[in-house]
């Protein structure tokens, strides 16, 4: 009698059992089938890619730029990136040895964490935070350590960082800083960045500084962690948010040459290289004055939308940290309403046809909050506030 075959699933990486599909995508999928649903769920800019950037991509195709580029990206784009980082933030990098062009900032996250982690290594995650860091850490054999910042206006304070370092010591491999933040829109001032750098300078902890929204700051000027701690910092950025190029999938990482050399191993074995025409478009976006003006125009529109949503929702009783950047509102559900953020969001979707993301999707400290993306037209945002106002007037608990 032949032995029964084992399930093929028994041969998979056991760390996959520790992760679940994206809660953001899962909730978005759950409510997308509701008729007439208006979605403010995903961080997807509603602008089209500017024409001059599209023309750069087309020219690349027309000129038969169809062969493998260097694994770390075309030199033209890496030089555009170094120029961008120096022009905007005063950072100096060598295009040949300190830059990798990635397939979106998400690949940069995967590449850095996969390269750094050994089994049991800890990654400090100030939460609420972009949740991708959690499953990638787990699959890499690491352990996420959550630092709830919700009682500190969603900013990691030096004393909180010191406490975590004292508790976990040499098992800490890296800390993630995401600013301006997804989901809160909160960012760090220069003084706050410097204070964290002063704590980290005495350690061997790598700083993964996720600055994908750096160009979308409002009343403040973005200050990179690499300004004060370049020898320990890996900067992650890209053109998805700054130039509405999400579908082009171009991100990048910048850091010390000895670290970047290690990251390039995982990078080349994972994706070989990014797409030539998309890199040509990103070169145009980052190296031209037109590309700079594109971002400034989008930012002005986002700021106007922020002000509109913030005013409307605070009048309805939501407590909201006023976003310094990005394009999200992270709002605490008022008392007198369903307090479970998943149940509140489901009820809102079914009764008022408005979809948002439950705050618990972003880790500890997000419970009882909802996230709205205002990367949507003013017309849609006005309709969204009409629906939310109606819901709040009709669904207060007795």
């Amino acid at each position: 009698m032949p032995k029964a075959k084992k399930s093929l699933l028994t041969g998979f990486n056991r760390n996959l059992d520790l992760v679940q599909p994206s809660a953001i995508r899962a909730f978005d999928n759950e409510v997308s089938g509701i008729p007439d649903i208006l979605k403010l769920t995903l961080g997807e800019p509603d602008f089209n890619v500017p024409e001059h950037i599209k023309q750069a991509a087309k020219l690349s195709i027309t000129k038969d730029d169809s062969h493998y580029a260097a694994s770390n990206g075309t030199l033209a784009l890496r030089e555009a990136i170094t120029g961008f980082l120096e022009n905007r933030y005063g950072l100096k990098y060598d295009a040949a040895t300190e830059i990798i062009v990635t397939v979106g900032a998400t690949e940069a996250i995967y590449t850095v964490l996969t390269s750094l982690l050994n089994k049991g290594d800890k990654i400090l995650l100030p939460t609420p935070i972009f949740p991708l860091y959690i499953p990638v850490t787990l699959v890499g054999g690491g352990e996420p350590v959550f630092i709830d910042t919700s009682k500190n206006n969603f900013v990691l304070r030096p004393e909180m960082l010191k406490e975590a370092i004292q508790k976990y010591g040499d098992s800490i491999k890296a800390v993630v800083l995401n600013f301006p933040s997804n989901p809160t829109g909160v960012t760090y001032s220069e003084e706050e960045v410097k204070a964290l750098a002063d704590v980290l300078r005495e350690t061997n902890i790598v700083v993964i500084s996720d600055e994908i929204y750096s160009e979308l700051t409002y009343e403040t000027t973005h200050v990179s962690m690499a300004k004060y701690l370049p020898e320990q910092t890996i900067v992650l950025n890209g053109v998805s948010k700054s130039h509405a190029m999400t579908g082009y999938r171009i991100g990048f990482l910048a850091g010390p040459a000895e670290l970047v050399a290690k990251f390039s191993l995982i990078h080349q074995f994972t994706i070989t290289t990014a797409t030539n025409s998309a890199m040509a478009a990103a070169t145009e976006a980052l190296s031209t004055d037109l590309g700079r003006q594109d971002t400034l125009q989008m930012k002005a529109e986002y700021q106007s939308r922020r002000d509109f949503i913030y005013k409307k929702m605070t009048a309805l009783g939501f407590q909201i940290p006023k976003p310094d950047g990005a394009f999200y509102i992270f709002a605490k559900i008022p008392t007198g309403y369903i307090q479970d953020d998943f149940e509140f969001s489901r009820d809102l979707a079914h009764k008022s046809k408005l979809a948002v993301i439950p705050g618990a999707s972003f880790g500890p400290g997000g419970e009882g909050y909802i996230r709205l993306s205002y990367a949507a037209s003013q017309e849609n945002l006005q309709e969204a506030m009409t629906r939310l106002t109606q819901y709040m007037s009709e669904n207060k608990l007795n």
Side-chain angles (χ1 to χ4, degrees):
M1 188 80 175
K3 289 184 178 179
K5 286 186 176 182
K6 293 182 179 179
S7 168
L8 294 178
L9 292 175
T10 61
F12 275 67
N13 181 339
R14 291 186 180 89
N15 288 338
L16 287 176
D17 294 334
L18 303 175
V19 304
Q20 299 293 327
S22 164
I24 297 172
R25 290 282 183 176
F27 192 82
D28 179 72
N29 290 339
E30 177 186 332
V31 299
S32 289
I34 297 174
D36 194 34
I37 191 75
L38 196 168
K39 298 200 301 180
L40 301 181
T41 49
L42 302 182
E44 174 71 33
D46 64 308
F47 297 102
N48 292 321
V49 175
E51 187 61 31
H52 68 105
I53 296 175
K54 291 190 286 188
Q55 288 301 322
K58 292 176 183 177
L59 182 60
S60 169
I61 295 169
T62 301
K63 294 177 69 173
D64 294 321
D65 183 15
S66 57
H67 303 284
Y68 287 126
S71 179
N72 284 358
T74 62
L75 183 58
L77 177 51
R78 282 180 281 148
E79 288 176 340
I81 290 166
T82 58
F84 164 82
L85 291 173
E86 183 171 7
N87 176 267
R88 303 295 201 276
Y89 312 118
L91 307 178
K92 293 184 181 296
Y93 291 100
D94 179 65
T97 62
E98 296 183 319
I99 303 290
I100 298 177
V101 178
T102 58
V103 180
T106 51
E107 190 242 313
I109 293 170
Y110 176 85
T111 292
V112 171
L113 286 174
T114 304
S115 300
L116 288 175
L117 285 168
N118 290 301
K119 186 176 181 180
D121 284 344
K122 293 178 172 56
I123 303 292
L124 302 182
L125 299 177
T127 58
I129 196 169
F130 179 52
L132 180 67
Y133 285 98
I134 301 169
V136 176
T137 296
L138 291 170
V139 170
E143 179 184 336
V145 174
F146 302 120
I147 304 175
D148 183 351
T149 65
S150 60
K151 293 182 180 179
N152 293 278
N153 298 316
F154 300 105
V155 170
L156 178 67
R157 304 296 183 194
E159 58 270 21
M160 300 167 71
L161 181 57
K162 288 178 183 177
E163 182 180 350
I165 292 171
Q166 185 174 20
K167 182 174 182 179
Y168 297 106
D170 292 340
S171 66
I172 302 170
K173 183 59 66 73
V175 59
V176 175
L177 298 176
N178 168 221
F179 64 105
S181 163
N182 175 7
T184 66
V186 169
T187 197
Y188 289 78
S189 69
E190 184 163 12
E191 292 73 20
E192 289 166 335
V193 169
K194 186 176 184 296
L196 292 176
D198 288 343
V199 174
L200 291 161
R201 189 173 290 107
E202 304 304 317
T203 74
N204 289 320
I205 296 171
V206 174
V207 183
I208 303 172
S209 195
D210 184 344
E211 303 178 23
I212 189 68
Y213 294 98
S214 63
E215 288 290 272
L216 302 179
T217 57
Y218 303 130
E219 290 86 3
T220 60
T221 300
H222 179 78
V223 177
S224 175
M225 175 56 72
K227 177 178 179 179
Y228 289 105
L229 201 65
E231 67 278 5
Q232 287 172 242
T233 299
I234 308 301
V235 174
L236 311 186
N237 212 315
V239 294
S240 290
K241 312 302 183 180
S242 59
H243 291 83
M245 295 171 65
T246 52
Y248 285 60
R249 308 308 304 130
I250 296 294
F252 61 83
L253 64 85
E258 62 270 25
L259 298 184
V260 170
K262 291 293 187 181
F263 298 147
S264 69
L265 296 175
I266 290 294
H267 166 76
Q268 67 181 251
F269 294 141
T270 304
I271 61 99
T272 305
T273 186
T275 303
N276 290 11
S277 56
M279 287 193 283
T283 302
E284 172 73 12
L286 294 176
S287 66
T288 64
D289 186 60
L290 279 176
R292 173 66 168 152
Q293 294 306 313
D294 296 332
T295 300
L296 292 174
Q297 290 171 14
M298 293 179 195
K299 182 170 73 169
E301 180 60 29
Y302 286 136
Q303 184 171 352
S304 175
R305 296 172 185 180
R306 178 204 65 175
D307 293 344
F308 170 72
I309 296 290
Y310 181 83
K311 181 178 179 180
K312 289 289 186 181
M313 290 188 67
T314 53
L316 291 173
F318 289 91
Q319 295 178 35
I320 303 168
K322 193 169 186 179
D324 303 302
F327 39 63
Y328 304 107
I329 288 283
F330 202 62
K332 187 171 181 59
I333 301 167
T335 56
Y337 296 86
I338 299 171
Q339 292 299 294
D340 181 291
D341 46 284
F342 273 90
E343 290 308 311
F344 178 93
S345 299
R346 287 191 181 97
D347 201 51
L348 176 63
H350 285 281
K351 289 181 178 176
S352 294
K353 315 297 184 183
L354 178 61
V356 299
I357 296 295
S361 304
F362 303 93
E367 303 89 348
Y369 286 79
I370 56 172
R371 189 199 75 174
L372 292 78
S373 168
Y374 51 86
S377 69
Q378 188 67 31
E379 180 182 0
N380 281 345
L381 293 178
Q382 288 173 346
E383 175 61 23
M385 291 302 98
T386 297
R387 296 183 186 192
L388 181 61
T389 299
Q390 181 180 6
Y391 177 85
M392 299 300 284
S393 70
E394 295 177 353
N395 291 280
K396 190 161 188 176
L397 303 176
N398 294 327

